[in-house]
């Protein structure tokens, strides 16, 4: 039947022109083409579209954006979620390729989400050298390849002996591929792991972005920009983690966190996420999730014997011990002054050291940048080539033995012991640095790195009016417009990070703390330390000469 159907439609396929719209009806799919520029987007439906949208008249997934950008568009529209396990579709796509239709374009991009993401990877061989954009993809549902996959029951019942059944094999035909997924979603991560990261395959991780990553990216306001960069190959994979931080402000991120907590039997955490998020998204489904979380919490309490609830509980440490505690038994946390040149950071450093046991070292010429760069490169090597053991003949032999986290930890410990050299009895230690502008928009990523490795790291951002900064002798060899751009850019980054993380940051301006001792009080309150106004006034009365 498939052969007869194909032969009846072959004449239509051989007459295709990239300058003329066409639509080819197959038993379970429709191929609909709209002409455009030199880039062809082949867009596959996801599994939800057949269930939620009528088949007749359904637009191609992402149609409005792709046509706005002037691209040609071939939509693969599914009548049902058969995971493209259809001989008619396979024959039609192969014939289109054999007739040279794809060869008429400078660039061919296969894309889709979930079921469509699988298809984008699996069908890459029909257009060798194409670009693949796979959102939350499954690599396959073939039971012997992914015996752990228990989702998509209807899809698993399809005929997986047909060609183009494994995205992990198909994606090798792409010149470049982007796999975008939530790496906290364990099944999705396992599928992504099969689509092995390499020079040709880039993994873009959106933690707690959910199985439907595109809605999260859309709420972040970056979906169109990121899609455009993937199409033209300009994605900065090292920059993407900073971009992914924007997910924290989206409804989808908070919904996923709350639901994941419920599934992992942590209803109290789910409650907390909902309680903090409902004021921001009052018309969402978060109140319904909150009800489920509270019910689950009550059920857990009912299952716990009364004798356990009222038993004397052993004393537990308020926070998990940090490795620094052994060397510095009095240490409460690490504090860092983050700024640029000529903001009065030395004065701020001295004011903070009125806190008993607080030792804030001066500048170290941005040593932490080299540590971070080395740690990133080790992680890149491990992620790219260390997923499996490489033979001795391989140029990356031994990469599977790399330990990026332990490497970074060792460098941080050496930095503390040999550069900062804090007193053993200190309660706080850290340093101030004025060269953070070297990182540009990657600043949040570096601060997160410091937050991970130091003890409960606290960042004090310090800024100053741009006119005063630009007049300083420190910047005498700079053009004023360059100083203004640097200061305004850093002030923006300071503000954004502080707004996103107010619990472990403070934001200061020189104009305030240099004239008013009370400007320091909120920082002392946040750290839980007594405010010694007399000591602060004494520091302010000393004129610095550097």
């Amino acid at each position: 039947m498939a052969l007869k159907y194909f032969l009846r439609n072959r004449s239509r396929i051989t007459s295709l022109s990239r300058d003329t719209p066409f639509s080819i009806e197959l038993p379970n799919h429709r191929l609909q083409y709209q002409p455009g520029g030199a880039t062809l987007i082949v867009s596959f439906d996801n599994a939800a579209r057949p269930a939620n949208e009528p088949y007749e008249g359904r637009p191609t997934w992402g149609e409005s954006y792709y046509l706005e950008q002037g691209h040609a568009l071939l939509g693969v529209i599914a009548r049902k979620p058969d995971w493209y396990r259809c001989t008619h579709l396979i024959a039609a796509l192969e014939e289109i390729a054999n007739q040279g239709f794809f060869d008429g374009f400078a660039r061919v991009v296969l894309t889709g989400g979930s079921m469509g993401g699988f298809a984008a990877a699996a069908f890459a061989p029909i257009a060798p050298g194409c670009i693949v954009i796979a959102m939350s993809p499954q690599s396959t549902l073939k039971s012997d390849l992914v015996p752990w996959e228990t989702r998509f029951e209807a899809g698993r019942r399809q005929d997986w002996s047909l060609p183009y059944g494994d995205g992990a094999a198909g994606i090798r035909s792409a010149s470049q591929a982007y796999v975008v997924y939530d790496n906290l979603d364990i099944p999705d991560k396992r599928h992504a792991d099969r689509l092995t990261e390499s020079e040709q395959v880039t993994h873009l991780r959106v933690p707690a972005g959910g199985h439907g990553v595109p809605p999260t990216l859309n709420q972040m306001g970056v979906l169109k920009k990121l899609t455009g960069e993937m199409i033209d190959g300009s994605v900065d994979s090292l920059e993407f983690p900073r971009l992914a931080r924007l997910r924290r402000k989206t409804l989808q991120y908070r919904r996923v966190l709350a639901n994941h907590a419920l599934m992992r039997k942590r209803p109290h955490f789910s409650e907390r996420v909902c309680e903090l998020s409902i004021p921001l998204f009052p018309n969402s489904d978060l109140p319904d999730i909150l009800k489920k979380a509270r019910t689950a919490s009550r059920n857990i309490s009912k299952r716990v014997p009364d004798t356990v609830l009222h038993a004397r509980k052993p004393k537990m440490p308020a926070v998990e011990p940090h490795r620094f505690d052994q060397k510095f038994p009095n240490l409460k946390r690490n504090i860092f002054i983050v700024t640029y040149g000529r903001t009065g950071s030395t004065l701020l450093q001295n004011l903070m050291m009125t806190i008993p046991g607080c030792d804030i070292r001066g500048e170290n010429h941005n040593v932490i940048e080299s540590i971070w760069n080395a740690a990133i490169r080790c992680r890149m090597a491990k992620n790219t080539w260390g997923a499996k053991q490489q033979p001795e003949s391989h140029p990356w032999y031994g990469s599977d033995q790399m330990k990026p986290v332990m490497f970074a930890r060792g460098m941080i410990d050496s930095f503390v012991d040999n550069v900062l050299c804090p007193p053993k009895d200190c309660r706080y230690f850290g340093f101030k640095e004025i060269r953070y502008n070297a990182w540009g928009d990657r600043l949040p990523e570096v601060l997160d790195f410091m937050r991970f490795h130091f003890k409960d790291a606290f960042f004090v951002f310090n800024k100053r009016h741009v006119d005063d900064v630009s007049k300083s002798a420190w910047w005498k060899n700079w053009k004023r417009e360059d100083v203004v751009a640097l200061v305004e850019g850093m002030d923006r980054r300071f503000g954004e990070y502080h707004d996103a993380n107010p619990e472990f940051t403070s934001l200061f301006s020189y104009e305030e703390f240099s004239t008013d001792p009370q400007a320091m009080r909120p920082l002392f309150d946040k750290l839980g330390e007594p405010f010694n106004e007399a000591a602060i006034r004494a520091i302010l009365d000393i004129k610095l000469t550097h």
Side-chain angles (χ1 to χ4, degrees), residues 340 342-343 463-471 480 483 487 491 509-511:
Y340 40 87
R342 287 304 184 263
T343 57
K463 59 183 184 177
R464 188 175 185 179
H465 194 281
V466 65
D467 289 337
D468 295 326
V469 173
S470 63
K471 294 174 184 176
R480 187 182 188 282
V483 177
V487 170
D491 287 352
S509 67
Y510 174 79
E511 289 75 17

Side-chain angles (χ1 to χ4, degrees), residues 478-541:
W478 285 55
K479 294 180 180 178
R480 187 182 188 282
E481 56 267 29
D482 292 338
V483 177
V484 171
L486 181 149
V487 170
E488 291 180 346
M490 294 306 294
D491 287 352
R492 171 182 56 81
R493 297 178 187 108
F494 294 167
E496 289 175 351
Y497 196 87
H498 172 63
D499 290 343
N501 306 284
E503 67 276 16
F504 56 84
T505 62
S506 284
L507 184 62
F508 281 95
S509 67
Y510 174 79
E511 289 75 17
E512 294 175 351
F513 72 76
S514 63
T515 57
D516 181 10
Q518 289 295 324
M520 296 296 298
R521 185 181 288 275
L523 172 61
F524 283 66
D525 291 344
K526 188 174 283 191
L527 295 173
E529 294 293 338
F531 179 67
N532 188 337
E533 183 171 348
I536 289 176
R537 285 190 180 278
I539 297 293
L540 292 176
D541 289 340

Side-chain angles (χ1 to χ4, degrees), residues 302-327:
K302 290 177 182 178
R303 291 195 295 269
V304 177
D306 186 67
T307 53
V308 174
L309 286 174
H310 294 89
R312 183 187 177 101
K313 296 180 180 179
K315 290 184 177 180
M316 299 294 288
V319 294
E320 184 179 349
H322 192 277
R323 67 184 187 280
F324 286 176
D325 292 342
Q326 187 171 0
K327 291 182 181 178

Side-chain angles (χ1 to χ4, degrees), residues 205-256:
R205 301 167 179 85
V206 187
H211 176 63
V213 168
T216 302
L217 295 173
N218 192 43
Q219 290 178 22
M220 291 162 58
V222 302
L223 179 58
K224 292 183 178 180
K225 177 179 181 291
L226 178 63
T227 300
E229 291 177 349
M230 289 190 287
I231 291 173
D232 63 27
S234 64
V235 174
D236 184 345
S237 59
L238 295 179
E239 176 72 7
F240 185 77
R242 184 198 65 81
L243 187 69
R245 286 174 52 83
L246 296 174
R247 74 193 185 280
R248 299 178 180 179
K249 298 182 180 181
T250 68
L251 169 61
Q252 180 73 351
Y253 170 75
R254 293 159 188 263
R255 180 190 289 129
V256 169

